[in-house]
Structures are given as structure tokens and as C-alpha cells.
Amino acid sequence: MKNLFLVFFTTSILCSCSNTKKQILPVSSETPSEAQRKQIERQYGMFIHFGINTFHDMEWTDGTKPASSYKPSDIDADQWVKTAKDAGMKYVILITKHHDGFCLWDSEYTDYDVASSGNTTNVIEAVAKACKKYDVGLGLYYSLWDRNKNGDVKNTELDSTYNSYMVKQLNELLAITQKHVNIVEFWFDGGWVKENHRWPLGDIYQTIKSREPECQIGVNWSIGLPEDPDHHPVYPEDQKEGYPVRYFPSDFRLGDPYLPGKNDPKVFTHNGKPYYMPWESTICISQRWFYNTNDTLFKSVDELVDLYKVATAQDNILILNCPPNRSGKIRTKDIEILSELRTRLDIKP
């Protein structure tokens, strides 16, 4: 009887452990989920490109620029988020790590971060606090491609170690932000430098959804071709109903800086199952993603009104990029344009 009890007890423990590690998978559907509907209703947000590139007049650096060259005189996260709020935006998406691999928080797993830089402010936490203060949603951008930590992308023997590194860093980011707000969106980039199957998108999805079930996950250049699911790029105007999802069936489609097609499809397939995926457009208010001393040409309000109308039609979403400068502030011109744009669009609080 005692042995029978031990067998029952051991089995119960094993079942319990198994249940706690139950795989979380996307739900196949031809209609938007409640969380997707909330994303569509957010409709309009701000992209915040800020990092080591800000200090080199470059869009992509290669991971060799010294961490000390990142040296903002201030980090006015309050101003960034208030600007978004005043513009009628419902959320911000903050760069946490771009292709260069430089991290805007003190990561346990690398020295290529703010802790080794000219300004040690944890930018992730500062923005999370500001989002809570102004009741603005927080999204995070994270580059899969890391030219500092995993520059040799052709060497498949490095994948396991680097994939583990990414998951650990995502857990760090979630631990930082969850003290203050829930993450509404995770935006992944740079996947085109490796074959789709080499990225641990299933583990990434599991890591995020186990802690933030409603967080919407997207991977840049989301859709392939029927004859080649790994094909890159497939532009939005060329996407058709039922085309294959690259990587993993995420929650929405990306392909910057392109707008959706006139008859934007919404249902795509992965392993023979349909998945509803709206389109999120990402557009620069000026010409560059990161602040650049030569970036002085801004889109007109008339042009932005037209872009907004196209991007947010058909149950889709727009995020408008407004890069902070080397003083850690959003430029005055951005603020002026955003204010006039809100008036023209008649966006209510």
C-alpha cells in the first residue's frame, strides 16, 4: 500500500511539473482574437529608435563601436512618452537592442550595454515608468540579429548558445517592465540573415506568452511564398490570402517601411492551419530611423495625414518613428508636427 502511494505521489508530481511547462501555441483562427482586437483598436503608436547608432550618424553599426561612445547627456523618457500621449498615440515601441547588439539596460549576459557606457540609465525601466505615469502602452523592439554577440551568422554551431542568450535577455526585459506595466507588443527584427528554422521563435513565443499572455508578437518580414516559405522579401502588395507564415505563426505582420496593399489579406497559413494577422506599418517622421545630424527633411503634415489613413484602414496599425537626439530628447520639430497632425486627424483623448 505504501509503495502504491509512492507511485501515485510521484506520478502526481511529474504530471504537475509537466503541466507547468505546457507548450503555449498560437490559436488557429480566421478572425481576430480579443488581444488582436485590442491591438487594432490601439491603431496608432510611436517608434522610439535610440541607442549607440544615435551617436554615430548611422542606421546600422556593426557591434564594434565602443560602448563608451553611447553618451546621452540626458534620458528624458518622461518627455518621450508624454509626447506620444499628447499626439494621441496609444503606445510606444522602444528599441531595446538593435542589430549592433548594444543593450539599453544592464544585462547580466553581456558587457555591451549601458552599464559600460557614458550614461548608465536603464532606459527600459525609465520608459516603463513613464508609460505607467501617462497610461500609455509599452511595446519593445528586439533584434534577433546581433552583430556583436553572434556576428558569424553562417556558423550554425553557434546557434544554440546564442538562442539561449536571447531567451535569457527576453526574460530580463520582462522582469524589468513587469514591475511597472504590461507589455502590449514585442517587435522582432533581423531574421532574414539566417534560415527561418534556425531562430528559436517557438521558445521566444513561449517565453513571452507565459508571462504576458496578451502581448502581441510580430517578426519583421513575416510572410513567404507558397513555393518558398523562406523567401525574403514578400512585399505587402504581393501577399495573398493563405500565403505561408515565415518563422512561426505570430500575431501580426511586419515589413518596414511599407504600407498595406489596397486589398490587404488577413489570413495566412502555417503547417496547414489558418492564422489571422493584421498589418502594422512603421514609418519615419523624417528620413532616418535613428537620430542623425544630417536628417533635416521631415514629412509634411499633409503627407502624414494620407499615410495615416492608408495605414490604419482595413483593421491595420501605424507606428510613427520619432528618434530622440543625443541630448536624450525628442526633437522640437517632431513635436510640432505631431501636434498639428493630431489636430488634422481629430484624434480624441
Side-chain angles (χ1 to χ4, degrees), residues 50 55 72-77 79-80 324-330:
F50 186 70
F55 301 87
S73 56
D74 189 20
I75 300 290
D76 196 349
Q79 184 236 20
W80 304 353
N325 60 24
R326 295 174 184 176
S327 299
K329 292 183 179 291
I330 289 179

Side-chain angles (χ1 to χ4, degrees), residues 134-204:
Y134 291 105
D135 191 26
V136 169
L138 176 60
L140 299 179
Y141 165 112
Y142 183 94
S143 176
L144 301 170
W145 186 23
D146 187 320
R147 303 174 80 180
N148 177 268
K149 203 74 174 177
N150 186 216
D152 185 5
V153 294
K154 293 184 178 180
N155 186 348
T156 59
E157 293 181 1
L158 303 177
D159 286 357
S160 178
T161 298
Y162 177 64
N163 290 349
S164 175
Y165 170 82
M166 287 194 293
V167 171
K168 290 174 183 176
Q169 285 206 319
L170 294 175
N171 274 309
E172 283 186 319
L173 289 169
L174 290 163
I176 291 167
T177 55
Q178 285 186 311
K179 296 175 185 177
H180 310 285
V181 292
N182 294 114
I183 301 298
V184 298
E185 190 172 304
F186 244 109
W187 208 107
F188 291 98
D189 199 8
W192 58 83
V193 298
K194 295 182 185 179
E195 295 84 0
N196 296 345
H197 68 272
R198 292 173 59 195
W199 297 113
L201 266 298
D203 292 339
I204 287 172

Side-chain angles (χ1 to χ4, degrees), residues 223-229 231 234 238 240-244 269:
I223 304 301
L225 293 175
E227 66 274 18
D228 180 13
H231 187 81
V234 179
D238 298 324
K240 293 181 172 58
E241 200 92 357
Y243 270 23
T269 59

Side-chain angles (χ1 to χ4, degrees), residues 44 84-89 337-349:
Y44 183 38
K85 179 79 170 184
D86 291 345
M89 294 167 164
I337 291 172
L338 289 172
S339 178
E340 185 178 348
L341 181 60
R342 176 174 185 168
T343 299
R344 288 278 300 279
L345 294 171
D346 193 27
I347 298 175
K348 304 300 182 185

Side-chain angles (χ1 to χ4, degrees), residues 67-68 70 102-108 110-123:
S68 59
Y70 167 87
F102 183 80
C103 301
L104 289 184
W105 76 102
D106 180 7
S107 175
E108 179 183 345
T110 182
D111 291 329
Y112 201 50
D113 61 15
V114 294
S116 304
S117 78
N119 186 322
T120 61
T121 302
N122 183 332
V123 182

